[in-house]
Amino acid sequence: MDVYEIIAWCKEKNVALENAVVLSNMPLDITDTVIYRVLDTVKGNGKTKVYGRCSDKTGREQFVLVETSKRVSEISFPVFIGIPDEIGPWSTQVLSATSPSSGSSKGEEFHTKLMSFLKQEGKSLADIQNVASPALTLNTELVGAINSLVQKCQTASPVETQNYRKLHTFSGLTPTLNGDEDYEVWAEHTTHILEEWQCSDNVKKQRLVECLRGPAADIVRFVKVENSSATSCDYLKALDTAFGPTENASDGEVQKYLPRKRGKALCVYNQAR
């Protein structure tokens, strides 16, 4: 977990940075009782309290946020803690004196917004570092510029909140199921909505997949497997190939996207074509 993620986590849990310790490499089923038992082996850390847990990227281990009654700068906190031949070892992270702190509320607010924005876009700080010039420094002017960009993107992307206009349901089954729509009506509505949304294509693909059922969902799933970088437009083209007017595609093109399962539903679909 990087420094900025720790800062955002501490702010969320209302834990002072100078009293925060993050434990990692911990099993998901570890109990607070065991954690406190291990923390008691660290001399001089005073009283401790577990404030939060979150899984790591593998989903097999977790991070645990702990607050100490004493400042971590006053404690000789080891890099690893545990009980030999019984528990651990677990890695520890504390914020050093040179780490970004809450001393600047503006800087902290910026980093929190930046982390939130990157998470929505499926990106990380490493992606920014990869495209940034090696000589680039995060000065006040740059922070202000990126902060403005984050706010603009968040304001211009209402679809990424729970208030987005939901797409109509489409399955591709014949006869049409209750609550389902004919392809032509659904395609016109969906194309209009996707063009209207001001958000990333990843979000568009996610919303598109959410509204699909049956053979239509299978077709998009096959396109995704065939081309992991496929766009929302690619998804719509594949659906149009399968369910649009017959003059749009040959039988061979249709069969390219139709899945081999869901036999009964596809038989009804093929008979209708």
Side-chain angles (χ1 to χ4, degrees):
M1 180 173 289
D2 65 36
V3 172
Y4 301 117
E5 290 173 324
I6 295 176
I7 292 174
W9 197 8
C10 288
K11 182 177 181 181
E12 176 188 352
K13 298 297 183 180
N14 198 26
V15 174
L17 298 179
E18 59 268 23
N19 297 92
V21 179
V22 174
L23 307 178
S24 54
N25 308 120
M26 301 181 65
L28 297 176
D29 59 353
I30 203 74
T31 65
D32 285 359
T33 301
V34 175
I35 295 174
Y36 288 129
R37 183 182 168 196
V38 173
L39 288 171
D40 286 342
T41 64
V42 180
K43 296 181 179 180
N45 63 358
K47 294 182 179 181
T48 56
K49 183 176 181 180
V50 173
Y51 264 85
R53 298 167 179 253
C54 69
S55 299
D56 63 8
K57 293 181 180 180
T58 67
R60 295 188 292 269
E61 295 181 333
Q62 65 177 330
F63 298 103
V64 174
L65 176 62
V66 176
E67 182 186 54
T68 62
S69 60
K70 293 185 178 181
R71 294 174 179 266
V72 292
S73 59
E74 301 173 357
I75 307 170
S76 298
F77 229 97
V79 178
F80 296 97
I81 62 174
I83 299 177
D85 302 323
E86 186 177 350
I87 305 172
W90 305 331
S91 301
T92 66
Q93 281 181 275
V94 297
L95 296 182
S96 66
T98 58
S99 299
S101 66
S102 58
S104 172
S105 58
K106 184 176 181 180
E108 181 183 351
E109 181 181 0
F110 159 72
H111 289 301
T112 301
K113 289 182 179 180
L114 178 59
M115 292 304 302
S116 175
F117 174 69
L118 291 176
K119 184 176 181 180
Q120 290 179 356
E121 295 295 319
K123 303 294 183 180
S124 67
L125 287 172
D127 296 309
I128 295 180
Q129 294 168 354
N130 289 338
V131 300
S133 168
L136 187 62
T137 59
L138 201 62
N139 56 33
T140 304
E141 184 177 353
L142 177 60
V143 168
I146 300 180
N147 190 22
S148 176
L149 174 62
V150 170
Q151 291 178 332
K152 181 182 296 185
C153 291
Q154 289 179 331
T155 302
S157 303
V159 69
E160 299 191 28
T161 69
Q162 295 181 351
N163 296 324
Y164 70 91
R165 292 177 61 187
K166 298 188 68 172
L167 299 174
H168 295 171
T169 302
F170 177 68
S171 67
L173 292 173
T174 302
T176 302
L177 299 177
N178 185 29
D180 210 351
E181 285 193 343
D182 292 330
Y183 173 75
E184 287 79 8
V185 176
W186 176 87
E188 181 177 358
H189 171 265
T190 301
T191 301
H192 172 72
I193 295 299
L194 292 183
E195 290 177 350
E196 179 183 284
W197 285 349
Q198 298 297 316
C199 63
S200 66
D201 195 62
N202 284 336
V203 174
K204 292 182 180 181
K205 290 191 294 184
Q206 178 184 343
R207 304 308 185 202
L208 182 58
V209 170
E210 288 175 356
C211 78
L212 298 176
R213 304 287 186 273
D218 289 337
I219 287 174
V220 168
R221 191 177 300 114
F222 273 71
V223 172
K224 185 176 180 180
V225 171
E226 186 178 85
N227 179 13
S228 60
S229 60
T231 65
S232 58
C233 290
D234 293 328
Y235 289 177
L236 290 176
K237 288 179 182 178
L239 292 169
D240 191 63
T241 298
F243 302 107
T246 54
E247 61 268 18
N248 284 1
S250 65
D251 291 341
E253 289 176 318
V254 172
Q255 292 299 324
K256 174 182 178 183
Y257 293 107
L258 286 175
R260 298 179 181 178
K261 297 184 179 180
R262 298 183 181 271
K264 183 177 180 180
L266 290 181
C267 284
V268 173
Y269 167 73
N270 288 331
Q271 290 172 3
R273 305 300 287 179

